[in-house]
């Protein structure tokens, strides 16, 4: 099909024997059409979210030919060849020789996979794009760690796009369900309940989703019928990869990124989920850990949520960098982190999660899932804590709005509840304190959609509609 006819379609991504659909493919199509070779596509994301797979499938589908250079395994000859960028004819002649493959036509793309392993290749994009012979796609993880990029000039010819774990709709597609997500969206837009029977069924599927998570390799194992112990082992291996990357960062920068990452479950189990460095070290201070926190956030293995001091639509202007929450980038990995500290058999704990009987830990899993879904929708994460003296009280009380987003030009507060509890005290006092213009307020909980004036109660799976 011509490119214009398929711009907003969703393509199949093949992994093992399972065919997955990924929405990111449409972003790649948009880049190809709009860029027309004037920029390289940089796919930024945590390890194992499917960057390399989607890059190669896109190359196979959308170009006459492609060349994949994996800088994890690239030879010294290929790397040394970047000294020849001053003479592009020599550069490409040697590249094809050392790679053992040439390109058949100008409608071809070169993929620089895991480009963070060889920053010079990323810097070379400026000259390769200017040369104009081919298109370029880069993939990378932990790219923004200063140690890996401080000696290069980041090219302005990059179109950098973030790729996240599979969202709930993609998870449904992976299980062969193509009808539930459109129905969820329709009910949300029309503000009508799903109906008790269907809602309960979707909630069970959704709990399965956040127990499994959105890492394609893990979803693949689930679809293939692996048991939860096998699934959990795959997630443990992914966590180990993350920790190995962070350990290298700690060795080179004398920071404590590994300790911060491992502490996320304990931090989220706090009463208000705010990050407390004293849990890691009683003498710890933010200024000594700032780069480690940014490393985790920018590598997309964690989601950084900052407090704002003034609830205005220009949220970033009022954000406090040192007053924050840190969520896991993938909720399924958070579940496995929690399981690491438990002596209970994995199958039993997974069963409790899926049936909604996990107990106290379910609250942090719910909030983490909402954070993940909001990030996948393109929102930066902010919360708001404030003090207010309610009528009949003598002293100020502390209240918190779990998330604040800007939707259709309006500031929308969000409260997350891991039960059917409908109390919205913090919302009411928020309105009394700030007297905002009429706008939607969302309480995300476990029951079906309901509405109370301008407060909309939505089941957690409808977060994907915000």
């Amino acid at each position: 099909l011509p490119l214009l006819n398929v711009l907003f379609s969703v393509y199949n991504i093949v992994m093992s024997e399972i065919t997955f659909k990924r929405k990111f493919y449409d972003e790649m199509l948009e880049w190809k059409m709009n860029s027309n070779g004037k920029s390289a596509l940089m796919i930024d994301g945590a390890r194992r979210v499917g960057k390399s797979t989607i890059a190669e499938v896109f190359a196979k589908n959308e170009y006459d030919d492609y060349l994949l250079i994996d800088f994890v395994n690239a030879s010294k000859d290929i790397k040394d060849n970047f000294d020849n960028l001053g003479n592009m004819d020599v550069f490409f002649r040697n590249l094809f020789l050392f790679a053992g493959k040439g390109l058949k036509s100008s409608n071809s793309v070169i993929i620089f996979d895991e480009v963070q392993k060889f920053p010079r290749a990323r810097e070379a994009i400026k000259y390769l794009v200017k040369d104009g012979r081919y298109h370029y796609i880069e993939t990378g993880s932990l790219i923004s760690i200063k140690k890996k990029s401080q000696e290069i000039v980041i090219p302005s010819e990059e179109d950098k796009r973030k790729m996240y774990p599979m969202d709930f709709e993609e998870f449904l597609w992976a299980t062969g369900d193509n009808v539930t997500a459109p129905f969820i969206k329709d009910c949300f837009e029309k503000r009508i309940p799903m109906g008790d029977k269907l809602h309960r069924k979707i909630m069970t599927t959704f709990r399965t989703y956040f127990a499994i998570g959105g890492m394609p390799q893990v979803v693949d194992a689930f679809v293939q019928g692996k048991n939860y112990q096998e699934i959990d082992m795959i997630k443990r291996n992914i966590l180990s990869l993350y920790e190995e990357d962070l350990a290298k960062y700690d060795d080179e920068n004398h920071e404590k990124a590994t300790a911060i990452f491992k502490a996320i479950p304990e931090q989220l189990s706090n009463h208000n989920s705010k990050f407390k460095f004293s849990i890691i070290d009683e003498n710890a201070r933010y200024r000594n850990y700032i780069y480690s926190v940014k490393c985790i956030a920018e590598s997309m293995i964690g989601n950084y949520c900052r407090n704002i001091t003034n609830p205005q639509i220009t949220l970033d202007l009022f954000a406090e960098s040192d007053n924050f929450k840190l969520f896991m980038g993938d909720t399924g990995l958070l579940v496995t982190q929690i399981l690491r500290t438990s002596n209970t058999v994995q199958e039993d704990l997974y069963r409790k999660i899926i049936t909604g009987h996990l107990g106290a830990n379910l609250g942090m899993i719910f909030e983490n899932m909402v954070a993940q879904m909001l990030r996948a929708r393109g929102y930066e994460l902010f919360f708001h804590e404030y003090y207010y003296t309610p009528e009949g009280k003598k002293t100020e009380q502390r209240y918190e709005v779990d998330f604040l987003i800007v939707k259709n030009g309006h500031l929308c507060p969000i409260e997350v509840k891991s039960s059917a509890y409908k109390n919205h005290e913090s919302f009411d006092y928020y309105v009394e304190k700030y007297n905002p213009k009429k706008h939607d307020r969302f309480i995300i909980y476990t029951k079906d959609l309901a509405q109370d004036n301008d407060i909309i109660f939505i089941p957690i799976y409808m977060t994907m509609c915000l």
Side-chain angles (χ1 to χ4, degrees), residues 93-110:
R93 182 192 66 199
N94 291 352
L95 179 66
F96 298 152
L97 177 66
F98 298 140
K101 177 186 177 182
L103 293 174
K104 300 173 183 176
S105 76
S106 58
N107 181 35
S108 299
V109 62
I110 297 177

Side-chain angles (χ1 to χ4, degrees), residues 399-413:
Y399 300 96
E400 181 181 302
V401 176
D402 289 330
F403 296 102
L404 280 167
I405 63 172
V406 176
K407 182 176 173 64
N408 299 325
H410 297 286
L411 196 61
C412 298

Side-chain angles (χ1 to χ4, degrees), residues 118-124 143 148-155:
F118 189 62
R120 282 191 62 199
R122 188 181 182 195
E123 186 176 43
I143 293 171
K148 295 186 180 297
S149 58
Q150 61 187 0
E151 297 179 358
I152 71 168
V153 176
I154 303 300

Side-chain angles (χ1 to χ4, degrees), residues 156-429:
S156 59
E157 293 78 9
E158 275 184 353
D159 185 341
K160 190 174 180 181
R161 311 247 179 158
K162 294 183 180 296
M163 186 176 183
Y164 297 96
M166 295 173 70
D167 66 17
F168 183 48
E169 186 171 14
E170 290 172 326
F171 178 80
L172 290 172
W173 291 339
T175 61
D177 183 347
N178 296 303
V179 298
T180 297
F183 187 64
I184 291 172
K185 294 175 184 178
D186 187 58
C187 288
F188 175 82
E189 292 299 325
K190 294 176 179 177
R191 300 292 194 262
I192 57 176
M194 302 287 293
D196 287 344
K197 185 175 182 179
L198 182 58
H199 166 73
R200 287 195 300 270
K201 179 178 181 293
I202 297 174
M203 276 302 300
T204 299
T205 303
F206 187 83
R207 287 193 179 97
T208 302
Y209 165 63
F210 70 60
I212 298 298
M215 307 305 282
Q217 184 183 4
V218 182
V219 176
D220 188 355
F222 172 74
V223 173
Q224 291 191 49
K226 304 294 185 183
N227 63 44
Y228 285 108
Q229 284 189 317
E230 293 174 297
I231 288 169
D232 197 71
M233 185 56 65
I234 295 171
K235 291 195 287 179
R236 287 171 187 253
N237 290 339
I238 294 173
L239 287 171
S240 295
L241 287 176
Y242 291 173
E243 289 165 9
E244 288 171 12
D245 285 337
L246 294 174
K248 294 173 185 175
Y249 172 76
D250 286 336
D251 288 343
E252 296 172 350
N253 296 273
H254 308 293
E255 290 284 347
K256 305 295 181 183
T258 308
I260 290 174
F261 181 69
K262 288 182 176 180
I264 289 177
E266 185 178 2
Q267 298 283 354
L268 292 178
S269 67
N270 292 335
H271 174 64
N272 58 10
S273 303
K274 285 172 57 177
F275 199 93
K276 298 177 181 177
F277 288 105
S278 59
I279 291 178
I280 300 173
D281 183 338
E282 62 181 12
N283 298 315
R285 296 294 182 269
Y286 173 74
R287 64 179 178 272
N288 298 325
Y289 285 80
I290 180 172
Y291 292 114
S292 292
V293 172
K294 288 184 176 180
C295 162
I296 291 170
E298 292 174 2
S299 64
M300 298 173 64
I301 63 176
N303 286 323
Y304 186 42
C305 180
R306 295 171 290 166
N307 177 60
I308 61 162
T309 57
N310 187 9
Q312 301 291 329
I313 59 173
T314 51
L315 291 166
D316 199 58
L317 294 179
F318 301 98
E320 295 181 308
S321 297
D322 58 347
N323 187 1
F324 66 95
K325 301 178 184 182
L326 190 60
F327 298 99
M328 281 290 293
D330 179 74
T331 306
L333 296 181
L334 172 63
V335 169
T336 294
Q337 276 193 318
I338 295 169
L339 290 174
R340 279 175 160 184
T341 63
S342 173
N343 293 323
T344 308
V345 177
Q346 282 93 336
E347 294 279 352
D348 184 50
L349 272 177
Y350 273 100
R351 191 179 302 111
K352 287 181 178 180
I353 293 171
I354 293 168
T355 58
H357 295 99
L358 188 59
N361 282 331
L362 197 59
M364 76 159 118
I365 295 173
F366 258 63
E367 192 172 1
N368 196 92
M369 189 75 254
V370 171
Q372 178 181 339
M373 296 175 82
L374 290 175
R375 285 298 287 133
R377 291 284 290 163
Y379 294 108
E380 295 292 326
L381 299 181
F382 301 95
F383 71 99
H384 178 52
E385 60 178 5
Y386 65 94
Y387 291 87
Y388 183 67
T389 306
E391 185 177 350
K393 300 285 186 179
K394 294 183 179 180
T395 58
E396 282 189 328
Q397 308 291 314
R398 181 191 171 279
Y399 300 96
E400 181 181 302
V401 176
D402 289 330
F403 296 102
L404 280 167
I405 63 172
V406 176
K407 182 176 173 64
N408 299 325
H410 297 286
L411 196 61
C412 298
I414 296 171
E415 186 78 12
V416 181
K417 299 182 183 297
S418 59
S419 66
Y421 193 50
K422 285 191 173 184
N423 178 54
H424 43 77
E425 191 176 62
S426 63
F427 272 9
D428 295 337
Y429 296 148

